[in-house]
């Protein structure tokens, strides 16, 4: 971090979310910065873990499973309903005008908490993390996401599906067993609308998609035939990584088996690099895709990507109050460290 500390502060604006980020290397000299402690290891199977093989009856209903090869465990991946859902699939969907379609109604409002909240159990083994799987195993998890998103897309009231993974208690995980989640909502979340509006602004001004090319090879961590992994130019968080399709694509759920294998290989490598460099930090990853049913005129500037956010420092009053972020690590330095780290 010595090279970072010699730099002066710099403010950068992100071209996807529209955020301003202050890069302040001096902040990394504070004694508690970038030292979050490792996420709790999954370890040996827990007698009380309902996600482990053999305890399926203790879970909420199963939606589908990906079977294991013969003579192996009964399953490799299970997609189930969340036993403690944030939104309820048995509730009455709100009317389109209540959910904010068309001309938005200003001011406060409340609607019934309809939606879908599912869990993807990524492995039957309690002691295996996502990046411990091989590329094909991670690819199969990604294909399970895509399959479930396509199913939810068939429901007329579902407008957006957020796929995400929380790793570690401080990143929001309540279960140590490796899993991820998805929430299908009857509205397009405000941050998604903001992202699309910001990308539209760039497209109208420059005539190109914000994510089809990036400004500098200095922020590149790794590339495959189909994907690039970068530390974004205005990363809101230290060691944040975006994995972006190299060919323009608006919808994650259109991924095919070959692309899932390629993405699985790159994703497991990026997670392994973060684990090695940062001592298995708590992290979140999110898949940012286009909402269902956007007009064809929006497709040239909507480009899906996967965002990985290690939880290395706390969000303070400045970030909450201003909507801006302070990052003590310049993206070029983070990318160089990760690029040179063998995994």
């Amino acid at each position: 971090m010595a090279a970072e500390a010699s730099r002066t502060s710099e403010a950068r604006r992100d071209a996807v979310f529209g955020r301003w980020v202050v890069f302040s290397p001096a902040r990394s000299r504070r004694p508690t910065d970038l030292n979050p402690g490792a996420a709790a290891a999954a370890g040996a199977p827990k007698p009380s873990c309902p996600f482990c093989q053999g305890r399926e009856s203790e879970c909420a209903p199963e939606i589908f499973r990906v079977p294991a090869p013969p003579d192996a465990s009964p399953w490799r991946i299970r997609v189930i309903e969340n036993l403690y859902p944030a939104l309820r699939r048995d509730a009455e969907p709100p009317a389109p005008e209540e959910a904010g379609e068309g001309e938005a109604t200003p001011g406060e409002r409340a609607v019934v908490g309809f939606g879908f909240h599912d869990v993807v159990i990524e492995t039957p083994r309690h002691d295996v993390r996502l990046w411990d799987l091989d590329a094909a195993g991670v690819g199969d998890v990604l294909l399970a996401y895509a399959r479930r998103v396509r199913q939810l897309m068939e429901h007329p009231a579902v407008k957006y599906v957020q796929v995400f993974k929380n790793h570690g208690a401080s990143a929001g995980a309540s279960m140590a067993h490796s899993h991820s989640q998805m929430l299908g909502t009857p509205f397009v979340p405000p941050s998604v609308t903001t992202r699309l509006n910001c990308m539209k602004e760039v497209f109208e001004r420059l005539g190109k998609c914000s994510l089809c090319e990036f400004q500098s090879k200095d922020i590149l961590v790794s590339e495959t035939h189909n994907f690039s992994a970068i530390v974004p130019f205005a990363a809101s968080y230290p060691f944040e990584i975006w994995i972006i399709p190299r060919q323009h694509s608006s919808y994650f759920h259109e991924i095919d088996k070959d692309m899932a294998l390629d993405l699985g290989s790159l994703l497991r490598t990026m997670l392994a690099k973060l684990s090695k460099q940062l001592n298995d930090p708590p992290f979140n990853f999110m898949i940012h895709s286009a909402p269902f049913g956007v007009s064809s005129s929006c497709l040239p500037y909507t480009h899906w990507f996967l965002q990985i956010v290690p939880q290395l420092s706390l969000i303070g009053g400045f970030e909450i109050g201003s909507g801006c972020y302070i990052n003590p690590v310049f993206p070029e330095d983070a990318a160089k460290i990760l690029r040179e780290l063998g995994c």
Side-chain angles (χ1 to χ4, degrees):
M1 299 289 179
E4 287 183 20
S6 64
R7 290 191 182 186
T8 59
S9 294
E10 181 176 301
R12 298 181 181 182
R13 186 178 185 270
D14 168 58
V16 173
F17 295 106
R19 299 170 182 152
W20 280 96
V21 181
V22 176
F23 291 92
S24 178
R27 302 287 288 179
S28 66
R29 296 198 293 267
R30 297 187 308 168
T32 58
D33 264 13
L34 304 186
N35 185 25
K46 304 286 185 179
S48 60
C49 177
F51 290 174
C52 287
Q53 178 187 330
R55 305 183 70 90
E56 293 85 354
S57 63
E58 300 175 24
C59 292
E62 181 178 296
I63 299 166
F64 66 83
R65 66 173 58 188
V66 178
D71 303 322
S73 62
W75 53 274
R76 284 185 295 137
I77 301 165
R78 293 178 72 227
V79 180
I80 64 172
E81 298 179 12
N82 194 310
L83 193 60
Y84 307 101
L87 297 171
R88 300 197 63 88
R89 68 196 72 219
D90 57 354
E92 183 71 22
E97 60 272 13
E98 292 181 314
E101 288 189 40
E103 192 67 28
T105 304
E108 297 176 346
R109 78 185 100 159
V111 299
V112 175
F114 162 82
F116 292 83
H117 191 173
D118 300 332
V119 176
V120 180
I121 306 172
E122 300 156 355
T123 168
R125 292 182 52 182
H126 195 89
D127 59 343
V128 171
R129 303 165 301 183
L130 181 60
W131 59 99
D132 294 326
L133 300 174
D134 61 15
V138 180
D140 284 340
V141 172
L142 296 165
L143 287 172
Y145 295 163
R147 176 180 170 185
R148 183 55 181 154
V149 172
R150 289 193 298 271
Q151 290 176 348
L152 292 172
M153 183 175 64
E154 296 301 315
H155 196 293
V158 175
K159 305 305 177 190
Y160 190 76
V161 176
Q162 181 64 67
V163 179
F164 63 98
K165 178 177 176 65
N166 303 330
H167 173 71
S170 62
S174 58
M175 301 284 290
H177 193 121
S178 191
H179 69 287
S180 34
Q181 301 179 63
M182 55 184 70
L183 269 162
T185 64
F187 51 81
V188 177
S191 64
V192 177
T193 302
T194 299
R195 167 167 55 91
L196 298 187
N197 287 341
C198 185
M199 296 180 78
K200 179 182 180 182
E201 177 187 311
V202 172
F203 183 79
E204 290 178 342
R205 190 173 73 251
L206 302 179
K208 61 183 181 180
C209 165
S210 304
L211 292 177
C212 279
E213 58 184 78
F214 40 89
Q215 296 180 356
S216 169
K217 290 292 183 182
D218 291 339
I219 62 174
L220 179 67
V221 179
S222 184
E223 269 185 324
T224 66
H225 180 69
N226 296 298
F227 295 94
S228 299
I230 66 170
V231 178
F233 169 77
S236 298
Y237 307 91
F239 290 93
E240 175 182 352
I241 295 173
W242 292 3
I243 301 179
I244 307 167
R246 296 178 67 180
Q247 295 296 317
H248 187 81
S249 176
S250 298
Y251 290 109
F252 163 76
H253 64 260
E254 294 177 347
I255 193 170
D256 62 23
K257 188 172 183 178
D258 289 341
M259 287 193 69
L261 178 63
D262 199 22
L263 177 56
S265 175
L266 188 55
L267 175 58
R268 72 181 295 271
T269 299
M270 293 302 103
L271 294 177
K273 282 177 178 284
L274 291 174
S275 180
K276 184 175 181 179
Q277 175 65 29
L278 302 172
N279 189 28
D280 188 19
F283 69 81
N284 308 98
F285 75 57
M286 295 71 62
I287 295 175
H288 300 287
S289 191
F292 301 146
V294 296
S295 69
S296 58
S297 63
C298 300
L299 298 181
Y301 58 81
T302 56
H303 193 139
W304 76 265
F305 65 102
L306 189 153
Q307 177 188 25
I308 309 172
V309 176
Q311 296 295 341
L312 302 178
S313 55
L314 298 175
I315 299 298
F318 173 75
E319 290 87 350
I320 295 171
S322 68
C324 303
Y325 288 77
I326 298 176
N327 187 341
V329 184
F330 273 91
E332 294 81 0
D333 296 322
K336 184 175 187 293
I337 290 168
L338 294 171
R339 191 166 53 242
E340 295 176 354
L341 185 67
C343 274

